[in-house]
Amino acid sequence: VARKGQGAGEPLFTNYRDIFNGTIDYIFFRCDRGNRIEVRRCLGMIAEEEAMREGGGLPSSRHPSDHLPIATDLAMLLPPGRS
């Protein structure tokens, strides 16, 4: 998984073209009223070599868009006594 920094959570890129590559797709979430949200897992990203495999970047025969899919499993952790 290509990511900025150890455990930083932001991919090196979600868009990869011959003229631009970078992270422009995000998942935002917010916690309210004492609830916490925990990231359980994230969809893995491709390596830069795979993005460039067919020439100038994405889209390619394996990735039909210039934006890579992003997904995560989240868990809401309620404070004690709330259900």
Side-chain angles (χ1 to χ4, degrees), residues 28-61:
F28 295 100
F29 59 90
R30 187 177 104 183
C31 300
D32 288 327
R33 296 181 297 256
N35 296 336
R36 290 188 6 230
I37 296 177
E38 181 179 277
V39 177
R40 295 290 172 104
R41 63 184 177 162
C42 295
L43 183 65
M45 300 301 287
I46 65 172
E48 188 171 10
E49 294 78 23
E50 184 173 346
M52 293 297 296
R53 184 169 292 148
E54 294 181 26
L58 301 174
S60 67
S61 60

Side-chain angles (χ1 to χ4, degrees), residues 4 10-15 20-26 45 70:
K4 290 181 181 175
E10 182 178 332
L12 291 174
F13 58 89
T14 60
N15 179 275
F20 170 82
N21 66 73
T23 302
I24 56 177
D25 301 290
Y26 293 89
M45 300 301 287
I70 59 173

